[in-house]
Amino acid sequence: MTRILFLAFVSIIISGCTGNRAVLWHGPNSSPASIAAGNAAINKPAKPAAVVPVFVATSREHSNDFSLPFNSKRSDHLNFARVDVGIPKAHVKGVVEKTGYKPDPAKHFAAVSMQNFDSGNIFVNQLNQALDQRDAKDQELLVFVHGYNNNFADSTFRAAQFTHDYGLKSVTVHYAWPSAASLGLYVYDRDSANFARDGLAELLKLAAKTKAKRILLVGHSMGSFVTMEALRTLSLNEEQRTLKRLTNVLLAAPDIDLNVFENQVKDVKPLPPMGVMVSRNDSALNISGRITGGHARVGDGTGIATLQKYGIAVLDASKVDGGDHSVFASSPTLMALVSDGSLSFDTLQGEGQTSGQAMLADGTNVVAGAASMVIYLPGRILTAAASGFQQ
């Protein structure tokens, strides 16, 4: 029975986190020489509808294949790059259109160009140049940490899709940790998540050195475990300056044992303003809990009161567009709420309300409609609702 549950869990996580396996590009310039030169520009038969620059720090090893320039092996040092990701004309919001063969820029996400950087100092300078190109109010970094079973292209495209579909003006930074991206290697990914914490901590220290006015950190699924371990590492190493530079942390569908999470939170001082997105309809986390002997996962919606106890805001997305494992990136409802200002990091800190929100005294009210989300704040509850979006 345990083996059956494990296989079911792996299958659901795969469908929730990735779908088809992706490649950055297959083309005439995908030679080892172009990778070694650190700047590979690609001639494509068609232009994408938009291009999203994604700055990458990765604890994956370099590879000599531009289709996947960083592989699943663990690197003893961080590698740095910028990947300009083309968004296809056929793009549907919330979807990462990808293929494992030869991406068509009109139909699939594909790299437009890639540039490697030799050091963390160069990386910081490049981030500062990108920040200088933003208006003062938009000079922020969005650091995204992917989940289980992602190859380098999968997670880089997800970072670009998230940025594009939410209309974010942030400079996007992606931490790519060495997931094996393989059905049978869940344990390898779990070990890699432990391995990857130091790399993310190093990246956050570099981010803190930039001129960014705000630094937003988003971890998804197993990437939430990497995120919490990195914050814990920074705290134990007395890197309080870096922790104070983090404006907000959002954990989406975190696949972390609730007891383990409590210990992590207790070790992080100071704890940055934090929100956790949960869903009782997240099948992946429900099966994960069964495999681990009935232990609650942070993202399964059963530990809301515990999270509130530690001053953490909780976004209950159980009734938002199906509430699946990747709802944070795929939901048109969430995109609409962010777009009209009904949902923001300020909302999670209880700083004001909009016309789409109502303060509830006891938390027993139910919002009717095709989609709704309840936001639990320490000591009070806000409800943000949006109608007109069908699952």
Side-chain angles (χ1 to χ4, degrees):
M1 177 61 69
T2 299
R3 178 178 175 81
I4 293 174
L5 286 175
F6 176 78
L7 292 175
F9 166 64
V10 170
S11 298
I12 291 173
I13 289 281
I14 286 174
S15 62
C17 287
T18 60
N20 295 329
R21 196 90 287 153
V23 293
L24 279 187
W25 182 256
H26 281 167
N29 292 332
S30 57
S31 65
S34 66
I35 299 300
N39 191 338
I42 305 149
N43 298 319
K44 301 175 302 305
K47 292 183 178 180
V51 175
V52 177
V54 178
F55 290 86
V56 177
T58 179
S59 47
R60 295 177 179 270
E61 283 191 358
H62 270 292
S63 98
N64 290 325
D65 180 3
F66 186 69
S67 65
L68 287 175
F70 297 99
N71 58 35
S72 62
K73 294 181 180 179
R74 299 161 185 161
S75 172
D76 60 3
H77 63 275
L78 280 183
N79 294 299
F80 303 98
R82 168 176 163 163
V83 182
D84 290 340
V85 178
I87 310 296
K89 294 179 180 178
H91 175 58
V92 176
K93 281 190 173 184
V95 178
V96 177
E97 295 89 355
K98 54 192 177 181
T99 176
Y101 174 54
K102 184 176 181 180
D104 178 349
K107 299 178 181 179
H108 307 115
F109 279 64
V112 173
S113 64
M114 175 175 167
Q115 182 176 3
N116 292 321
F117 305 124
D118 292 335
S119 71
N121 288 335
I122 295 174
F123 190 66
V124 169
N125 289 337
Q126 291 292 318
L127 291 177
N128 281 334
Q129 289 181 31
L131 289 165
D132 283 338
Q133 296 172 10
R134 266 68 174 174
D135 292 338
K137 61 182 177 63
D138 297 323
Q139 290 180 340
E140 67 181 24
L141 298 180
L142 170 69
V143 182
F144 174 68
V145 187
H146 66 84
Y148 162 67
N149 190 42
N150 277 236
N151 68 25
F152 180 73
D154 290 326
S155 58
T156 302
F157 290 165
R158 175 62 83 183
Q161 175 265 318
F162 183 82
T163 300
H164 178 268
D165 289 355
Y166 275 87
L168 303 179
K169 297 180 180 179
S170 317
V171 174
T172 301
V173 181
H174 171 39
Y175 180 60
W177 54 276
S179 164
S182 174
L183 173 65
L185 295 178
Y186 178 82
V187 175
Y188 180 90
D189 273 22
R190 197 71 188 180
D191 290 342
S192 284
N194 272 304
F195 168 84
R197 60 190 171 197
D198 289 345
L200 179 55
E202 181 181 345
L203 169 59
L204 295 176
K205 286 190 287 184
L206 292 173
K209 294 179 180 179
T210 69
K211 59 180 65 177
K213 292 181 171 62
R214 294 174 300 279
I215 301 174
L216 313 177
L217 176 58
V218 177
H220 177 228
S221 188
M222 195 179 288
S224 295
F225 179 82
V226 180
T227 298
M228 288 303 302
E229 283 297 292
L231 297 181
R232 181 174 178 272
T233 296
L234 289 170
S235 181
L236 295 178
N237 290 339
E238 299 185 348
E239 293 283 350
Q240 277 71 33
R241 176 185 176 275
T242 299
L243 290 169
K244 289 177 181 178
R245 284 278 278 140
L246 298 178
T247 311
N248 293 97
V249 177
L250 174 64
L251 306 180
D255 186 8
I256 311 174
D257 181 287
L258 186 59
N259 298 138
V260 172
F261 180 77
E262 284 194 82
N263 285 337
Q264 290 171 326
V265 168
K266 291 174 183 176
D267 282 340
V268 181
K269 299 174 183 178
L271 185 69
M274 183 175 292
V276 174
M277 184 173 291
V278 306
S279 174
R280 292 180 299 279
N281 291 322
D282 188 329
S283 299
L285 294 185
N286 290 336
I287 293 178
S288 175
R290 292 174 63 185
I291 291 174
T292 55
H295 286 253
R297 316 312 286 172
V298 175
D300 67 13
T302 62
I304 292 175
T306 299
L307 298 177
Q308 287 182 286
K309 179 178 69 176
Y310 292 104
I312 297 170
V314 183
L315 299 84
D316 186 351
S318 300
K319 297 182 179 180
V320 177
D321 298 324
D324 66 17
H325 195 58
S326 296
V327 68
F328 82 103
S330 63
S331 167
T333 298
L334 294 181
M335 294 172 198
L337 290 172
V338 169
S339 178
D340 71 11
S342 295
L343 178 62
S344 68
F345 280 110
D346 287 341
T347 305
L348 300 185
Q349 302 311 311
E351 298 176 4
Q353 292 177 265
T354 72
S355 59
Q357 300 164 353
M359 185 74 73
L360 303 183
D362 56 10
T364 60
N365 294 13
V366 176
V367 179
S372 63
M373 181 166 64
V374 178
I375 303 177
Y376 296 83
L377 300 179
R380 58 199 185 278
I381 300 176
L382 294 175
T383 299
S387 59
F389 295 91
Q390 301 299 323
Q391 296 182 9

